[in-house]
Amino acid sequence: MQFDAASCVECMGGFVREEDGTCTICEDTSGWVNDEGDACHKASCTDIKHRGLSSNQVCCKCGGGQRLATPFEYMRANLVL
């Protein structure tokens, strides 16, 4: 990442630059392909939906993708040592 004062000028791979200049980790939605069979790295950014989702919703390069951590909780278990 390259910084200019408090914001990013360029983000590393796997990160996208937000409007406020910060770099946020982003992952394309897994398993999505368009009608031509192209995944996010080849698909163009459109609002045309395939299986209910468009590339603008699922691809980081189009402003979509998964930007928040998936919430989870560790299983609680009593352990005997």
Side-chain angles (χ1 to χ4, degrees), residues 28-73:
D28 296 331
T29 302
S30 178
W32 181 88
V33 293
N34 63 15
D35 292 333
E36 289 80 36
D38 295 332
C40 286
H41 67 281
K42 284 188 174 181
S44 58
C45 298
T46 68
D47 286 323
I48 299 170
K49 293 187 177 186
H50 179 73
R51 294 188 182 183
L53 297 169
S54 71
S55 58
N56 287 340
Q57 295 172 302
V58 300
C59 301
C60 295
K61 72 177 187 179
C62 302
Q66 306 297 316
R67 295 172 188 247
L68 299 175
T70 303
F72 73 94
E73 185 176 310

